[in-house]
Amino acid sequence: MTDPQPINPSPDVAKILDDLARAHRILEMEGHGDMSMGHLSFRDPQGRGIWLKRGNLGFEEVTETDFILIDFDGEILEGTGLRHLEWPLHTELMLARPDINVVGHSHPFNSIIFAATGQKLGAYSNEGVWFEETGVPHFTLTSNLVDTTDLGKAHAQAMGTSDAVFLRNHGASFVGASVRDATLCGIFLEKAAKMQVAIASTGWKYQAPDHQEILTKRTDIYPDRARNNFWWYFNRKLAVLEGRTPDPM
Ligand SMILES: [Zn+2]
C-alpha cells in the first residue's frame, strides 16, 4: 500500500474528519466490521463533494488522515489512495437528501439476515424505535456493488426518507445529519436486527408496542442531549479499548 498524500482540510472539516475516523472505529467495535469493506463519508461544507474513507482499510484502522475528497462525479480532488468502488452510493444519497451530511455503508451480520430474507424490522427493543417513523426499506435491484450512478440513484430512491436501507444479500446503508446521528443510527440498526433475530429464533410469541407509544418513546429516549450522551459513551468505550485516556466531556 502506498502512503497517502496528506489532505489539507480546513480546521472545521479536520475536526469532523477526526470524529468520522472514530465513528469508523466505534462501528467496528459495535459489529459493523468486515475486513476492508465498508465506508463512511461526510458532505464537504464548501459544496465540493464528499470526504470518503479511502480503500484497503478496515474500520478499526481508520484515522483522521484516511479520507479522500471526491466531487459528485467521483474525481479525486484531495488525498490519494484507493477510491472505494461504491462511491456513487454516497454521492447519489448526498444529492438526493439535502437533510443528511453523513452516509455509512457496511456489512453487519444481523442486518444482512434481514437483507437476505426481506423481513421487516420492528421496534421490539429500544433500538428499533429509532426506525419506527419511516421503517427500513429493502434495496433489491442487485446484491452486487452499488458502483454506478444509476445504481446509486436507485439505492437512494429505495431508501427514500428513511435513515437506513437493507441491501439484498449484501449489507446496509445508514445516514444522519451529523457524524453522531449516523453512527448511532448504524449501531441501533444492527442492535435492533440482532435483537429481532434472537427473539424470532425462540419461537415464542412476541409483539411491539403500539405505533403511537413507539413514536413517543423515540422522542423521550433519543432527544439531542441523550444522543450526545450516547455518542460520548461510545467514544469513551473506544478510548478504553484502544488504551487511551478518554477525553473529559
Ligand atoms: Zn457493501
Side-chain angles (χ1 to χ4, degrees):
M1 202 188 325
T2 53
D3 287 337
Q5 293 298 307
I7 51 174
N8 189 25
S10 59
D12 58 322
V13 171
K15 187 182 174 309
I16 293 168
L17 294 183
D18 191 44
D19 281 344
L20 192 60
R22 266 180 285 106
H24 282 85
R25 302 192 321 258
I26 287 170
L27 285 162
E28 170 76 30
M29 181 174 72
E30 298 303 314
H32 281 255
D34 183 17
M35 301 175 287
S36 58
M37 293 192 273
H39 20 79
L40 274 76
S41 66
F42 164 65
R43 185 193 299 275
D44 180 60
Q46 293 176 38
R48 292 174 295 174
I50 62 168
W51 295 87
L52 177 66
K53 166 192 170 283
R54 66 188 183 87
N56 287 347
L57 289 171
F59 272 18
E60 76 278 20
E61 300 175 302
V62 179
T63 71
E64 69 278 9
T65 60
D66 292 320
F67 294 94
I68 53 174
L69 174 65
I70 63 167
D71 68 16
F72 290 102
D73 296 319
E75 288 299 315
I76 297 177
L77 305 178
E78 257 191 60
T80 54
L82 191 78
R83 182 190 58 177
H84 276 287
L85 292 170
E86 291 191 298
W87 64 266
L89 178 154
H90 294 259
T91 49
E92 293 304 322
L93 261 178
M94 295 286 193
L95 290 169
R97 292 280 299 271
D99 59 310
I100 62 171
N101 294 305
V102 176
V103 171
H105 169 73
S106 63
H107 303 162
F109 186 94
N110 294 283
S111 297
I112 294 173
I113 295 178
F114 278 78
T117 56
Q119 284 292 310
K120 183 175 183 288
L121 187 76
Y124 300 104
S125 62
N126 286 349
E127 295 82 15
V129 166
W130 186 280
F131 307 97
E132 176 71 5
E133 206 158 357
T134 48
V136 180
H138 289 262
F139 170 67
T140 58
L141 189 58
T142 180
S143 68
N144 209 337
L145 296 165
V146 179
D147 58 356
T148 66
T149 52
D150 281 351
L151 285 170
K153 282 182 175 50
H155 169 269
Q157 195 173 26
M159 184 184 274
T161 58
S162 294
D163 285 348
V165 62
F166 294 121
L167 285 74
R168 178 166 65 89
N169 304 101
H170 172 176
S173 304
F174 45 94
V175 299
S178 61
V179 174
R180 177 198 70 180
D181 283 3
T183 306
L184 292 178
C185 178
I187 293 170
F188 295 157
L189 179 72
E190 177 62 2
K191 283 184 97 166
K194 184 177 183 179
M195 179 67 70
Q196 193 170 332
V197 168
I199 294 170
S201 68
T202 63
W204 299 338
K205 204 164 169 265
Y206 62 101
Q207 60 186 20
D210 71 58
H211 178 63
Q212 198 49 53
E213 181 173 311
I214 296 169
L215 293 182
T216 306
K217 256 180 100 171
R218 189 182 198 274
T219 308
D220 292 349
I221 299 174
Y222 301 121
D224 205 53
R225 68 176 186 285
R227 295 178 187 209
N228 281 336
N229 182 9
F230 300 148
W231 165 246
W232 287 118
Y233 163 75
F234 284 115
N235 274 273
R236 292 195 303 273
K237 186 177 174 184
L238 179 71
V240 170
L241 182 74
E242 295 180 342
R244 294 182 285 109
T245 305
D247 294 328
M249 57 204 65

